[in-house]
PDB file of all heavy atoms in Angstrom:
ATOM      1  N   LEU L 213      12.530  -7.442 -15.861  1.00  0.00           N
ATOM      2  CA  LEU L 213      12.048  -6.125 -15.346  1.00  0.00           C
ATOM      3  C   LEU L 213      11.560  -5.163 -16.430  1.00  0.00           C
ATOM      4  O   LEU L 213      10.517  -4.560 -16.311  1.00  0.00           O
ATOM      5  CB  LEU L 213      13.105  -5.510 -14.424  1.00  0.00           C
ATOM      6  CG  LEU L 213      13.401  -6.253 -13.129  1.00  0.00           C
ATOM      7  CD1 LEU L 213      14.524  -5.563 -12.358  1.00  0.00           C
ATOM      8  CD2 LEU L 213      12.167  -6.417 -12.298  1.00  0.00           C
ATOM      9  N   PRO L 214      12.348  -5.029 -17.531  1.00  0.00           N
ATOM     10  CA  PRO L 214      11.861  -4.070 -18.549  1.00  0.00           C
ATOM     11  C   PRO L 214      10.517  -4.473 -19.150  1.00  0.00           C
ATOM     12  O   PRO L 214       9.618  -3.630 -19.309  1.00  0.00           O
ATOM     13  CB  PRO L 214      12.982  -4.058 -19.619  1.00  0.00           C
ATOM     14  CG  PRO L 214      14.183  -4.541 -18.871  1.00  0.00           C
ATOM     15  CD  PRO L 214      13.724  -5.533 -17.816  1.00  0.00           C
ATOM     16  N   SER L 215      10.344  -5.752 -19.454  1.00  0.00           N
ATOM     17  CA  SER L 215       9.063  -6.145 -20.113  1.00  0.00           C
ATOM     18  C   SER L 215       7.928  -6.021 -19.138  1.00  0.00           C
ATOM     19  O   SER L 215       6.826  -5.632 -19.495  1.00  0.00           O
ATOM     20  CB  SER L 215       9.167  -7.506 -20.772  1.00  0.00           C
ATOM     21  OG  SER L 215       9.359  -8.475 -19.825  1.00  0.00           O
ATOM     22  N   LEU L 216       8.122  -6.386 -17.863  1.00  0.00           N
ATOM     23  CA  LEU L 216       7.043  -6.260 -16.900  1.00  0.00           C
ATOM     24  C   LEU L 216       6.708  -4.751 -16.698  1.00  0.00           C
ATOM     25  O   LEU L 216       5.529  -4.403 -16.603  1.00  0.00           O
ATOM     26  CB  LEU L 216       7.467  -6.825 -15.512  1.00  0.00           C
ATOM     27  CG  LEU L 216       7.445  -8.365 -15.380  1.00  0.00           C
ATOM     28  CD1 LEU L 216       8.147  -8.801 -14.151  1.00  0.00           C
ATOM     29  CD2 LEU L 216       6.028  -8.916 -15.412  1.00  0.00           C
ATOM     30  N   SER L 217       7.731  -3.913 -16.656  1.00  0.00           N
ATOM     31  CA  SER L 217       7.455  -2.488 -16.495  1.00  0.00           C
ATOM     32  C   SER L 217       6.735  -1.925 -17.708  1.00  0.00           C
ATOM     33  O   SER L 217       5.820  -1.116 -17.538  1.00  0.00           O
ATOM     34  CB  SER L 217       8.789  -1.704 -16.344  1.00  0.00           C
ATOM     35  OG  SER L 217       9.524  -2.262 -15.314  1.00  0.00           O
ATOM     36  N   GLN L 218       7.092  -2.368 -18.892  1.00  0.00           N
ATOM     37  CA  GLN L 218       6.400  -1.927 -20.082  1.00  0.00           C
ATOM     38  C   GLN L 218       4.934  -2.401 -20.090  1.00  0.00           C
ATOM     39  O   GLN L 218       4.027  -1.620 -20.429  1.00  0.00           O
ATOM     40  CB  GLN L 218       7.082  -2.434 -21.381  1.00  0.00           C
ATOM     41  CG  GLN L 218       6.516  -1.898 -22.640  1.00  0.00           C
ATOM     42  CD  GLN L 218       6.569  -0.367 -22.736  1.00  0.00           C
ATOM     43  OE1 GLN L 218       7.637   0.196 -22.548  1.00  0.00           O
ATOM     44  NE2 GLN L 218       5.456   0.265 -22.934  1.00  0.00           N
ATOM     45  N   MET L 219       4.708  -3.615 -19.655  1.00  0.00           N
ATOM     46  CA  MET L 219       3.315  -4.129 -19.574  1.00  0.00           C
ATOM     47  C   MET L 219       2.505  -3.280 -18.622  1.00  0.00           C
ATOM     48  O   MET L 219       1.381  -2.869 -18.939  1.00  0.00           O
ATOM     49  CB  MET L 219       3.370  -5.566 -19.041  1.00  0.00           C
ATOM     50  CG  MET L 219       2.027  -6.171 -18.913  1.00  0.00           C
ATOM     51  SD  MET L 219       1.350  -6.541 -20.530  1.00  0.00           S
ATOM     52  CE  MET L 219      -0.147  -7.508 -20.099  1.00  0.00           C
ATOM     53  N   ALA L 220       3.155  -2.883 -17.482  1.00  0.00           N
ATOM     54  CA  ALA L 220       2.463  -2.013 -16.519  1.00  0.00           C
ATOM     55  C   ALA L 220       2.087  -0.659 -17.169  1.00  0.00           C
ATOM     56  O   ALA L 220       0.953  -0.152 -16.995  1.00  0.00           O
ATOM     57  CB  ALA L 220       3.282  -1.814 -15.307  1.00  0.00           C
ATOM     58  N   MET L 221       2.975  -0.147 -17.940  1.00  0.00           N
ATOM     59  CA  MET L 221       2.729   1.141 -18.641  1.00  0.00           C
ATOM     60  C   MET L 221       1.612   0.922 -19.676  1.00  0.00           C
ATOM     61  O   MET L 221       0.689   1.749 -19.789  1.00  0.00           O
ATOM     62  CB  MET L 221       3.974   1.640 -19.354  1.00  0.00           C
ATOM     63  CG  MET L 221       5.119   2.047 -18.443  1.00  0.00           C
ATOM     64  SD  MET L 221       4.669   3.361 -17.262  1.00  0.00           S
ATOM     65  CE  MET L 221       4.388   2.461 -15.786  1.00  0.00           C
ATOM     66  N   ASP L 222       1.707  -0.167 -20.424  1.00  0.00           N
ATOM     67  CA  ASP L 222       0.645  -0.428 -21.457  1.00  0.00           C
ATOM     68  C   ASP L 222      -0.739  -0.556 -20.867  1.00  0.00           C
ATOM     69  O   ASP L 222      -1.746  -0.300 -21.494  1.00  0.00           O
ATOM     70  CB  ASP L 222       1.019  -1.698 -22.259  1.00  0.00           C
ATOM     71  CG  ASP L 222       2.234  -1.483 -23.118  1.00  0.00           C
ATOM     72  OD1 ASP L 222       2.709  -0.351 -23.227  1.00  0.00           O
ATOM     73  OD2 ASP L 222       2.783  -2.473 -23.610  1.00  0.00           O
ATOM     74  N   LEU L 223      -0.783  -1.068 -19.568  1.00  0.00           N
ATOM     75  CA  LEU L 223      -2.078  -1.256 -18.942  1.00  0.00           C
ATOM     76  C   LEU L 223      -2.521   0.021 -18.202  1.00  0.00           C
ATOM     77  O   LEU L 223      -3.486  -0.024 -17.506  1.00  0.00           O
ATOM     78  CB  LEU L 223      -2.009  -2.450 -17.989  1.00  0.00           C
ATOM     79  CG  LEU L 223      -1.838  -3.800 -18.695  1.00  0.00           C
ATOM     80  CD1 LEU L 223      -1.649  -4.935 -17.647  1.00  0.00           C
ATOM     81  CD2 LEU L 223      -3.069  -4.076 -19.573  1.00  0.00           C
ATOM     82  N   GLY L 224      -1.714   1.084 -18.324  1.00  0.00           N
ATOM     83  CA  GLY L 224      -2.185   2.345 -17.719  1.00  0.00           C
ATOM     84  C   GLY L 224      -1.821   2.498 -16.221  1.00  0.00           C
ATOM     85  O   GLY L 224      -2.448   3.285 -15.541  1.00  0.00           O
ATOM     86  N   PHE L 225      -0.866   1.769 -15.729  1.00  0.00           N
ATOM     87  CA  PHE L 225      -0.394   1.916 -14.352  1.00  0.00           C
ATOM     88  C   PHE L 225       0.207   3.319 -14.220  1.00  0.00           C
ATOM     89  O   PHE L 225       0.701   3.887 -15.185  1.00  0.00           O
ATOM     90  CB  PHE L 225       0.646   0.902 -13.932  1.00  0.00           C
ATOM     91  CG  PHE L 225       0.105  -0.434 -13.538  1.00  0.00           C
ATOM     92  CD1 PHE L 225      -0.733  -1.152 -14.405  1.00  0.00           C
ATOM     93  CD2 PHE L 225       0.378  -1.052 -12.318  1.00  0.00           C
ATOM     94  CE1 PHE L 225      -1.228  -2.416 -14.073  1.00  0.00           C
ATOM     95  CE2 PHE L 225      -0.089  -2.257 -11.962  1.00  0.00           C
ATOM     96  CZ  PHE L 225      -0.889  -2.965 -12.837  1.00  0.00           C
ATOM     97  N   ASP L 226       0.209   3.833 -12.984  1.00  0.00           N
ATOM     98  CA  ASP L 226       0.669   5.210 -12.764  1.00  0.00           C
ATOM     99  C   ASP L 226       2.138   5.305 -12.415  1.00  0.00           C
ATOM    100  O   ASP L 226       2.671   6.469 -12.341  1.00  0.00           O
ATOM    101  CB  ASP L 226      -0.154   5.864 -11.626  1.00  0.00           C
ATOM    102  CG  ASP L 226      -1.637   5.764 -11.957  1.00  0.00           C
ATOM    103  OD1 ASP L 226      -2.163   6.684 -12.605  1.00  0.00           O
ATOM    104  OD2 ASP L 226      -2.282   4.747 -11.595  1.00  0.00           O
ATOM    105  N   GLY L 227       2.747   4.222 -12.159  1.00  0.00           N
ATOM    106  CA  GLY L 227       4.185   4.295 -11.842  1.00  0.00           C
ATOM    107  C   GLY L 227       4.773   2.954 -11.519  1.00  0.00           C
ATOM    108  O   GLY L 227       4.114   1.936 -11.657  1.00  0.00           O
ATOM    109  N   LEU L 228       5.998   2.980 -11.059  1.00  0.00           N
ATOM    110  CA  LEU L 228       6.725   1.751 -10.761  1.00  0.00           C
ATOM    111  C   LEU L 228       7.445   1.832  -9.407  1.00  0.00           C
ATOM    112  O   LEU L 228       7.815   2.935  -8.990  1.00  0.00           O
ATOM    113  CB  LEU L 228       7.834   1.545 -11.809  1.00  0.00           C
ATOM    114  CG  LEU L 228       7.367   1.370 -13.279  1.00  0.00           C
ATOM    115  CD1 LEU L 228       8.586   1.474 -14.206  1.00  0.00           C
ATOM    116  CD2 LEU L 228       6.589   0.078 -13.456  1.00  0.00           C
ATOM    117  N   MET L 229       7.578   0.717  -8.746  1.00  0.00           N
ATOM    118  CA  MET L 229       8.414   0.662  -7.562  1.00  0.00           C
ATOM    119  C   MET L 229       9.546  -0.371  -7.879  1.00  0.00           C
ATOM    120  O   MET L 229       9.192  -1.528  -8.152  1.00  0.00           O
ATOM    121  CB  MET L 229       7.686   0.254  -6.328  1.00  0.00           C
ATOM    122  CG  MET L 229       8.571   0.125  -5.089  1.00  0.00           C
ATOM    123  SD  MET L 229       7.833  -0.676  -3.699  1.00  0.00           S
ATOM    124  CE  MET L 229       7.179   0.684  -2.756  1.00  0.00           C
ATOM    125  N   VAL L 230      10.777   0.128  -7.973  1.00  0.00           N
ATOM    126  CA  VAL L 230      11.828  -0.814  -8.475  1.00  0.00           C
ATOM    127  C   VAL L 230      12.940  -0.837  -7.449  1.00  0.00           C
ATOM    128  O   VAL L 230      13.519   0.194  -7.052  1.00  0.00           O
ATOM    129  CB  VAL L 230      12.415  -0.274  -9.806  1.00  0.00           C
ATOM    130  CG1 VAL L 230      13.437  -1.283 -10.385  1.00  0.00           C
ATOM    131  CG2 VAL L 230      11.281  -0.052 -10.835  1.00  0.00           C
ATOM    132  N   GLU L 231      13.302  -2.060  -7.010  1.00  0.00           N
ATOM    133  CA  GLU L 231      14.425  -2.152  -6.043  1.00  0.00           C
ATOM    134  C   GLU L 231      15.745  -1.826  -6.711  1.00  0.00           C
ATOM    135  O   GLU L 231      16.091  -2.388  -7.782  1.00  0.00           O
ATOM    136  CB  GLU L 231      14.432  -3.564  -5.445  1.00  0.00           C
ATOM    137  CG  GLU L 231      13.316  -3.748  -4.441  1.00  0.00           C
ATOM    138  CD  GLU L 231      13.381  -4.991  -3.615  1.00  0.00           C
ATOM    139  OE1 GLU L 231      14.070  -5.953  -4.035  1.00  0.00           O
ATOM    140  OE2 GLU L 231      12.840  -5.009  -2.519  1.00  0.00           O
ATOM    141  N   THR L 232      16.473  -0.947  -6.082  1.00  0.00           N
ATOM    142  CA  THR L 232      17.738  -0.453  -6.691  1.00  0.00           C
ATOM    143  C   THR L 232      18.790  -0.366  -5.617  1.00  0.00           C
ATOM    144  O   THR L 232      18.556   0.132  -4.480  1.00  0.00           O
ATOM    145  CB  THR L 232      17.485   0.991  -7.168  1.00  0.00           C
ATOM    146  OG1 THR L 232      16.291   0.995  -8.012  1.00  0.00           O
ATOM    147  CG2 THR L 232      18.593   1.465  -8.112  1.00  0.00           C
ATOM    148  N   HIS L 233      20.007  -0.874  -5.973  1.00  0.00           N
ATOM    149  CA  HIS L 233      21.068  -1.028  -4.982  1.00  0.00           C
ATOM    150  C   HIS L 233      22.344  -0.635  -5.675  1.00  0.00           C
ATOM    151  O   HIS L 233      22.501  -0.932  -6.835  1.00  0.00           O
ATOM    152  CB  HIS L 233      21.118  -2.517  -4.514  1.00  0.00           C
ATOM    153  CG  HIS L 233      22.012  -2.791  -3.341  1.00  0.00           C
ATOM    154  ND1 HIS L 233      23.378  -2.787  -3.484  1.00  0.00           N
ATOM    155  CD2 HIS L 233      21.758  -3.115  -2.089  1.00  0.00           C
ATOM    156  CE1 HIS L 233      23.917  -3.074  -2.313  1.00  0.00           C
ATOM    157  NE2 HIS L 233      22.971  -3.287  -1.457  1.00  0.00           N
ATOM    158  N   PRO L 234      23.303   0.000  -5.030  1.00  0.00           N
ATOM    159  CA  PRO L 234      24.571   0.392  -5.681  1.00  0.00           C
ATOM    160  C   PRO L 234      25.342  -0.830  -6.222  1.00  0.00           C
ATOM    161  O   PRO L 234      25.955  -0.755  -7.294  1.00  0.00           O
ATOM    162  CB  PRO L 234      25.375   1.091  -4.613  1.00  0.00           C
ATOM    163  CG  PRO L 234      24.402   1.377  -3.497  1.00  0.00           C
ATOM    164  CD  PRO L 234      23.267   0.450  -3.617  1.00  0.00           C
ATOM    165  N   ARG L 235      25.305  -1.926  -5.487  1.00  0.00           N
ATOM    166  CA  ARG L 235      25.939  -3.156  -5.927  1.00  0.00           C
ATOM    167  C   ARG L 235      25.014  -4.349  -5.642  1.00  0.00           C
ATOM    168  O   ARG L 235      25.187  -5.017  -4.633  1.00  0.00           O
ATOM    169  CB  ARG L 235      27.292  -3.345  -5.184  1.00  0.00           C
ATOM    170  CG  ARG L 235      28.467  -2.495  -5.775  1.00  0.00           C
ATOM    171  CD  ARG L 235      29.641  -2.407  -4.867  1.00  0.00           C
ATOM    172  NE  ARG L 235      29.246  -1.756  -3.633  1.00  0.00           N
ATOM    173  CZ  ARG L 235      29.123  -0.405  -3.547  1.00  0.00           C
ATOM    174  NH1 ARG L 235      29.365   0.393  -4.579  1.00  0.00           N
ATOM    175  NH2 ARG L 235      28.738   0.160  -2.369  1.00  0.00           N
ATOM    176  N   PRO L 236      24.073  -4.568  -6.555  1.00  0.00           N
ATOM    177  CA  PRO L 236      23.049  -5.559  -6.261  1.00  0.00           C
ATOM    178  C   PRO L 236      23.576  -6.882  -5.826  1.00  0.00           C
ATOM    179  O   PRO L 236      23.007  -7.567  -4.933  1.00  0.00           O
ATOM    180  CB  PRO L 236      22.271  -5.714  -7.611  1.00  0.00           C
ATOM    181  CG  PRO L 236      22.535  -4.364  -8.272  1.00  0.00           C
ATOM    182  CD  PRO L 236      23.892  -3.901  -7.857  1.00  0.00           C
ATOM    183  N   ASP L 237      24.715  -7.356  -6.447  1.00  0.00           N
ATOM    184  CA  ASP L 237      25.163  -8.717  -6.105  1.00  0.00           C
ATOM    185  C   ASP L 237      25.617  -8.838  -4.697  1.00  0.00           C
ATOM    186  O   ASP L 237      25.628  -9.914  -4.100  1.00  0.00           O
ATOM    187  CB  ASP L 237      26.308  -9.111  -7.015  1.00  0.00           C
ATOM    188  CG  ASP L 237      25.823  -9.344  -8.456  1.00  0.00           C
ATOM    189  OD1 ASP L 237      24.636  -9.649  -8.597  1.00  0.00           O
ATOM    190  OD2 ASP L 237      26.636  -9.190  -9.456  1.00  0.00           O
ATOM    191  N   GLU L 238      25.931  -7.685  -4.046  1.00  0.00           N
ATOM    192  CA  GLU L 238      26.340  -7.765  -2.635  1.00  0.00           C
ATOM    193  C   GLU L 238      25.159  -7.533  -1.678  1.00  0.00           C
ATOM    194  O   GLU L 238      25.354  -7.456  -0.402  1.00  0.00           O
ATOM    195  CB  GLU L 238      27.424  -6.672  -2.365  1.00  0.00           C
ATOM    196  CG  GLU L 238      28.706  -6.955  -3.090  1.00  0.00           C
ATOM    197  CD  GLU L 238      29.664  -5.771  -3.043  1.00  0.00           C
ATOM    198  OE1 GLU L 238      29.490  -4.909  -2.124  1.00  0.00           O
ATOM    199  OE2 GLU L 238      30.567  -5.708  -3.900  1.00  0.00           O
ATOM    200  N   ALA L 239      23.980  -7.328  -2.200  1.00  0.00           N
ATOM    201  CA  ALA L 239      22.767  -6.981  -1.344  1.00  0.00           C
ATOM    202  C   ALA L 239      22.546  -8.086  -0.335  1.00  0.00           C
ATOM    203  O   ALA L 239      22.723  -9.304  -0.628  1.00  0.00           O
ATOM    204  CB  ALA L 239      21.577  -6.771  -2.230  1.00  0.00           C
ATOM    205  N   LEU L 240      22.130  -7.695   0.852  1.00  0.00           N
ATOM    206  CA  LEU L 240      21.876  -8.671   1.924  1.00  0.00           C
ATOM    207  C   LEU L 240      20.462  -9.308   1.739  1.00  0.00           C
ATOM    208  O   LEU L 240      20.180 -10.361   2.360  1.00  0.00           O
ATOM    209  CB  LEU L 240      21.953  -8.056   3.310  1.00  0.00           C
ATOM    210  CG  LEU L 240      23.326  -7.457   3.645  1.00  0.00           C
ATOM    211  CD1 LEU L 240      23.305  -6.827   5.052  1.00  0.00           C
ATOM    212  CD2 LEU L 240      24.403  -8.551   3.542  1.00  0.00           C
ATOM    213  N   THR L 241      19.590  -8.650   0.980  1.00  0.00           N
ATOM    214  CA  THR L 241      18.291  -9.223   0.686  1.00  0.00           C
ATOM    215  C   THR L 241      17.954  -9.016  -0.775  1.00  0.00           C
ATOM    216  O   THR L 241      18.342  -7.973  -1.347  1.00  0.00           O
ATOM    217  CB  THR L 241      17.125  -8.540   1.550  1.00  0.00           C
ATOM    218  OG1 THR L 241      17.213  -7.153   1.345  1.00  0.00           O
ATOM    219  CG2 THR L 241      17.306  -8.906   3.037  1.00  0.00           C
TER     220      THR L 241
END
Side-chain angles (χ1 to χ4, degrees):
L213 295 178
S215 63
L216 284 168
S217 305
Q218 185 60 54
M219 180 69 172
M221 295 301 101
D222 293 348
L223 291 175
F225 279 56
D226 304 272
L228 299 170
M229 179 191 265
V230 185
E231 285 192 338
T232 313
H233 189 287
R235 279 165 296 283
D237 292 335
E238 293 170 20
L240 298 181
T241 53

